[in-house]
């Protein structure tokens, strides 16, 4: 098994590590195993290099080291990596999640729609069966009730008959497949709008949940849960940071706390905090969207109620668009409900990766360690440095930016997830950066710092400290995603080993393509219509002009044509021509006329028959 440590060899190691972990009762995903194998190879403390020739013993040492780290459930680093893999594999933004939900819904409805569009019944019984299938499709497409509920089915049938009766089935059957599919979608939209209006009028809709009310109650609750998780994360992060700073200031404290995995615990809390911030942002967006949808839905319902009122009949062109609008708004409510459930599930699932904190650092242990230590929050650290800023004149070759001098500061992509670029590699801490101190622009990238001293030190040799941060990320692989170092470790864990070659475990840093455009024609157009680019066309025109020079026009005048001109034309009249063929002759044969006398017999025994031939001669005819 010895050989060069190449991509192919790493794939074999990944399979072997997965087998050994499974043998010890830990069924781990191939993505997690692949990440850990490459993280171990990248760690300089393990002395493995890509392209290195490994002996059989070194290969086994690498496998055992990966297995040990994957089975070490007491290490917060493993929980952080598991959290990152889980979030990467399961999280989707609003657009992706709704697109996937639409794809799944269309996949479920496809067999039902195909059964309807491919059927061309002739018998009346089959036509009625097809109509019931349309009712089922409309009900499933709207998501308002179950096909097993008889009352709901009757309600949907009545709503469908108001826009599409069974007498129109013949016309529907004669449509093409695409037209049928379009009609089915229209039926579903209209029926949904009708049922929502009936629910508002209290004439049905008992199976329809009041989504606006549910969302207005559930979103604040979900937001509160995420806020509570964030507050707990902030408290732990501040305590861990204070302990790590005390270790660096006091050698005695370092000896006391070196056995605790404080850095790994800090990175675990910071990563959990980062993911909760993403979920909280989505929850806030959902709350704003629900508020806007509620206003639109109420306005549309009032407009529909004023349009319908108590009229016996109403023009479909006037009321159908309102039903469609109600249906679309309700579909948006359903989307927000789906997003809320997704965010709630993600929040609940992420909590399992923070359980190791209470196991390693119970409240009483953490309290005893913090005796005599001053704990500062991120906000307090930023407030302490608000009065200090970088003096731009001290740096001739460095570009510094400040928030008050930038219009698009919120869209600026700060490196290291807004953590201090100096403290990561030097201290191994994730201190919040204060943009008021100054934002350093180095090689088209932006860095913030936690203090003026850190900013000055980093600016003296940015490449040196950037490399220190990379080395720190090799020691602690969870920092790669936490600090958004994907561009530095693009080949860390390609999903080609798991899914395909184009998707990576770590999603790439978001980028923005920009462009400028000028007026197409600033000056008035000067198009020469007589211009010809074709040489042969120019030759043709030249020959034509040359021929005209040799042409003369003659004219004469007579007394008879004075002051007028007589025109006449002459044509040849059609010529009558006939031909003669041979003469047709015929002959007529006389008709034979023969009479017989005496065939009936007479009184005598002997019969005497007389034959008289009256046929005319041929020359007499």
């Amino acid at each position: 098994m010895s050989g060069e440590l190449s991509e192919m060899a790493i794939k074999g190691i990944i399979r072997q590590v997965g087998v050994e972990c499974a043998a010890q009762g830990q069924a781990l995903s191939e993505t997690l195993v692949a990440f850990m194998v490459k993280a171990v190879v990248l760690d300089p403390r393990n002395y493995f290099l890509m392209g290195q020739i490994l002996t059989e013993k070194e290969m086994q040492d690498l496998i055992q080291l990966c297995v040990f780290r994957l089975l070490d459930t007491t290490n917060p680093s493993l929980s952080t990596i598991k959290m990152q893999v889980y979030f990467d594999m399961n999280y989707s933004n609003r657009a992706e999640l709704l697109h996937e939900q639409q794809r799944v819904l269309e996949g479920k409805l496809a067999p039902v729609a195909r059964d309807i569009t491919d059927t061309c019944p002739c018998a009346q019984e089959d036509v009625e069966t097809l109509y019931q299938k349309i009712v089922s499709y409309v009900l499933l497409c709207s998501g308002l009730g179950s096909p097993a509920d008889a009352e709901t089915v009757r309600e949907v049938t009545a709503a469908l008959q108001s826009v599409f009766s069974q007498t129109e089935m013949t016309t529907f059957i004669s449509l093409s497949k695409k037209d049928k599919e379009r009609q089915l979608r229209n039926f579903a939209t209209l029926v949904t709008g009708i049922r929502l209006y009936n629910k508002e009028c209290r004439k049905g809709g008992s199976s329809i949940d009041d989504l606006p009310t549910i969302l207005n109650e559930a979103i604040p609750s979900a937001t509160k849960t995420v806020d509570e998780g964030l507050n707990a994360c902030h408290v732990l992060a501040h305590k861990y940071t204070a302990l790590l700073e005390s270790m660096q200031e006091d050698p005695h404290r370092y000896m006391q706390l070196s056995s605790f995995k404080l850095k790994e615990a800090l990175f675990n809390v910071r990563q959990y905090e980062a993911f909760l911030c993403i979920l909280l942002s989505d929850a806030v967006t959902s709350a704003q969207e629900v508020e806007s949808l509620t206003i639109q839905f109420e306005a549309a319902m009032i407009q529909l109620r004023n349009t319908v009122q108590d009229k016996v009949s109403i023009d479909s062109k006037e009321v159908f668009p309102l039903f469609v609008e109600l249906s679309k708004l309700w579909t948006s409510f359903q989307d927000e409900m789906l997003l809320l459930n997704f965010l709630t599930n993600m929040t609940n699932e992420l909590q399992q990766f923070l359980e190791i904190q209470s196991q390693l650092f119970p409240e009483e242990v953490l309290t005893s360690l913090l005796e005599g230590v001053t704990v500062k929050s991120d906000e307090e650290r930023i407030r302490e440095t608000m009065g200090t800023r970088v003096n731009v004149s001290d740096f001739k070759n460095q570009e510094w930016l400040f928030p008050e001098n930038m219009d698009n500061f919120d869209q600026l992509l700060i490196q290291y997830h807004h953590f201090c670029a100096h403290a990561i590699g030097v201290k191994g801490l994730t201190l919040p950066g204060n943009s008021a101190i100054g934002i350093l622009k180095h090689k088209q990238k932006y860095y913030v710092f936690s203090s003026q001293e850190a900013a000055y030190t980093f600016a003296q040799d940015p490449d040196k400290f950037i490399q220190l941060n990379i080395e720190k990320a090799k020691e602690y692989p969870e920092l790669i995603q936490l600090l958004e170092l994907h561009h530095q470790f693009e080949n860390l864990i390609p999903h080609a080993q798991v899914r395909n070659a184009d998707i990576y475990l770590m999603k790439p840093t978001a980028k923005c393509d920009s462009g400028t455009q000028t007026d197409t024609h600033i000056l008035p157009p000067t198009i020469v219509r007589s211009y010809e680019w074709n040489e042969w066309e120019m030759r043709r025109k030249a020959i034509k002009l040359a021929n005209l020079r040799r042409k003369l026009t003659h004219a004469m005048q007579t007394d008879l044509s004075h002051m007028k001109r007589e025109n006449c034309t002459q044509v040849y009249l059609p010529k009558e021509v006939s031909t003669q063929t041979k003469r047709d002759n015929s002959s007529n044969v006389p008709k034979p006329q023969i009479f017989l006398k005496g065939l009936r017999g007479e009184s005598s025994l002997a019969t005497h028959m007389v034959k008289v031939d009256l046929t005319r001669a041929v020359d007499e005819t």
Side-chain angles (χ1 to χ4, degrees), residues 600-608:
R600 294 184 177 181
E602 296 180 356
S603 58
S604 61
L605 295 177
T607 301
H608 298 281

Side-chain angles (χ1 to χ4, degrees), residues 552-572:
L552 298 177
T553 302
H554 299 275
M556 63 179 59
Q557 185 77 33
T558 63
D559 292 337
L560 296 177
S561 61
H562 180 61
M563 297 299 294
K564 67 179 181 178
R565 187 179 68 179
E566 296 180 355
N567 291 331
C568 63
T569 58
Q570 183 178 1
V571 298
Y572 290 96

